[in-house]
Structures are given as C-alpha cells and as structure tokens.
C-alpha cells in the first residue's frame, strides 16, 4: 500500500455553540417574565435564577419551577395556561438571536459546516429551539434538561461526543469539535476532555473597552482551523 493510501482522512469538524449569551442577544429574561407575574423585580429575578439550575437539569417540572418563581412575588398559584404563557415569554426572550451570531450561523450553514447546540436549558426550551426556523442549519441539539446533566459536568460533554459519534457512524474525536460558551468553567471542562473550546464574551452585557464580540472571536478561531466562512 502506498504512503498516500495510508494517510488518515482528517475528521470533519463540528462547530458547537452554547445558546444563552452566545447565540441569544441577551441573558436576562427577568423583565419579560416580570411583565406577566408582576411583584418586585429584584425578588423575581433572584427566584428565577436560584431555581434555574434545577430546572435546566430536568429536576423540576415547568409547574414546579414557575410556581416557585411566582410564589416569590406573591402569586400563590398559576394555571396551566399561565405557566404556558410565562414559559413562552422566557422562550421568546432567549430565541432572539444576536445579529452577529446569526450572520455567523448563516455563513457556516452556507458552507455546509456541521453545527450543534450544547445548552443548559429546560426541556421546554429545547422543544422551542427545535421549532425555530434557523435550527434547520443544525444537525443536533444536546439540551441539559433532556439529559439530566448540566455543564460543566463531564457527563453532558460525553453525551455530545456519543451523539456525534452516532451521527457520523464512527468515533467522535474531541479535538475536531470547536465549542463556544460564555462561561469560563464550561470552557475549561470541555478542554479537559480534549474539546477545542473557546470563551465567548456574553452577549447583552457590558465588557471592558476593546473586548471583541464573540462572533468575531469565533470567526478568527474558525478561520485559523481552516473552516470556510466565505
């Protein structure tokens, strides 16, 4: 066999994005939820985030989560319709894509780059994501609420690797995955497994002057890795 035939074909890269604060335009749904539930905004915000980890890991139901948030501002009980409305408000907020992130997705999709989501989010949000028009560009989504594990726990990254291996009909090579997340601990956990992970400054927050937008950081990294964007 010639040396040429013995060469291993480089693995096809996969670009994986977090959602909140990376693809989404912002990371604070509290004002939108406050419009429906009322009460003190700071109290509502504290309750929303205090309970969020359990909701994102699938440990509590929508009724339990939104019921706890509502109770914090004096709303004793939510009907099924009210729970649905609050969840939809939360979904709508996060599904507003950042313009620069949307443009990046467009360029990647146009070049047929394999895309995936890896997000700490509820099952309800996972369903909403898959209904979004832009999700057609994605091969898959790994949602923490569906997997009962959240970043930065190793288990959810292992789920991603397993799903990608299934999609490709072989073994998923961590170094062929480029991952962008707005939390440093999530990035470091991914790197510990060999994933090519990078920090994306959170959309919708103030950053020191001169901080690049995450989409610009991603474009530079992707170009360095030989992934087409033209």
């Amino acid at each position: 066999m010639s040396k040429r035939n013995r060469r291993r074909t480089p693995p096809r890269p996969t670009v994986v994005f977090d959602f909140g604060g990376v693809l989404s335009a912002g990371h604070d749904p509290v004002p939108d939820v406050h419009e429906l539930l009322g009460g003190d905004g700071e109290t509502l915000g504290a309750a929303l985030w205090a309970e969020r980890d359990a909701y994102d890991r699938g440990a509590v139901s929508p009724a339990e989560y939104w019921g706890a948030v509502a109770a914090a501002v004096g709303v004793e009980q939510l009907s099924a319709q009210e729970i649905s409305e609050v969840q939809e408000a939360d979904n709508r907020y996060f599904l507003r894509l950042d313009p620069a992130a949307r443009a990046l997705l467009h360029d990647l999709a146009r070049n047929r780059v394999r895309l995936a989501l890896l997000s700490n989010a509820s099952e309800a949000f996972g369903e909403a994501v898959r209904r979004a028009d832009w999700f057609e560009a994605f091969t898959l989504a790994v949602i923490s609420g569906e997997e009962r594990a959240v970043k930065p726990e190793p288990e959810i990254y292992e789920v991603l690797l397993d799903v990608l291996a299934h999609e490709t009909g072989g073994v998923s090579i961590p170094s062929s995955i480029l991952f962008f997340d707005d939390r440093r601990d999530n990035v470091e956990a991914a790197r510990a497994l060999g994933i090519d992970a990078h920090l994306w400054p959170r959309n919708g927050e103030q950053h020191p002057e001169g901080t690049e937008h995450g989409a610009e950081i991603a474009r530079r990294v992707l170009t360095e890795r030989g992934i087409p964007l033209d």
Side-chain angles (χ1 to χ4, degrees):
M1 181 182 293
S2 70
K3 290 184 178 180
R4 179 179 179 183
N5 290 335
R6 291 202 302 268
R7 291 176 182 170
R8 181 174 64 85
T9 302
R12 180 187 175 193
T14 302
V15 180
V16 181
F17 293 99
D18 176 35
F19 197 86
V22 174
L23 297 185
S24 66
H27 201 274
D28 183 16
V30 173
D32 292 43
V33 174
H34 184 254
E35 287 186 11
L36 294 175
L37 296 181
D40 179 72
E42 289 188 9
T43 301
L44 185 145
L48 184 146
W49 292 117
E51 304 290 338
R52 197 74 172 204
D53 182 75
Y55 192 35
D56 285 349
R57 70 170 59 247
V60 297
S61 68
E64 291 170 322
Y65 173 67
W66 292 115
V69 174
V73 291
V75 179
E76 293 186 2
Q77 187 172 1
L78 294 176
S79 67
Q81 179 63 32
E82 288 169 331
I83 292 168
S84 177
E85 289 173 354
V86 177
Q87 181 66 57
E88 288 176 6
D90 189 81
N91 291 346
R92 282 195 304 272
Y93 173 83
F94 279 109
L95 287 172
R96 299 168 188 154
L97 292 190
D98 174 83
R102 180 185 283 274
L104 175 60
L105 291 181
H106 174 78
D107 290 343
L108 288 166
R110 184 164 47 81
N111 284 280
R112 300 184 181 277
V113 177
R114 185 166 55 220
L115 302 176
L117 284 177
L118 177 60
S119 181
N120 283 355
S122 66
E123 290 184 79
F125 185 73
E127 294 171 2
V129 160
R130 293 184 177 94
R131 293 194 299 268
D133 57 354
W134 48 262
F135 188 72
E136 292 182 3
F138 284 76
T139 299
L140 58 95
V142 175
I143 304 296
S144 63
E146 299 169 353
E147 305 300 336
R148 304 300 192 262
V150 297
K151 295 174 293 182
E153 296 168 1
E155 291 81 2
I156 195 164
Y157 299 99
E158 290 165 359
V159 169
L160 173 68
L161 294 172
D162 288 345
V163 173
L164 285 173
H166 177 75
E167 289 289 332
T168 59
V171 176
S172 181
I173 301 174
S175 61
S176 70
I177 299 170
L178 287 98
F179 174 51
F180 298 93
D181 196 288
D182 64 333
R183 285 180 46 177
R184 191 171 297 278
D185 54 347
N186 293 345
V187 169
E188 291 174 352
R191 287 175 176 170
L193 293 173
I195 295 170
D196 188 3
H198 302 268
L199 186 66
W200 178 300
R202 178 172 286 179
N203 296 339
E205 291 190 355
Q206 293 293 323
H207 298 287
E209 185 176 352
T211 300
E212 283 186 286
H213 190 288
E216 294 305 314
I217 294 172
R219 284 181 180 276
R220 185 175 68 255
V221 170
L222 294 168
T223 299
E224 290 171 354
R225 302 299 188 273
I227 294 177
L229 292 169
D230 296 334

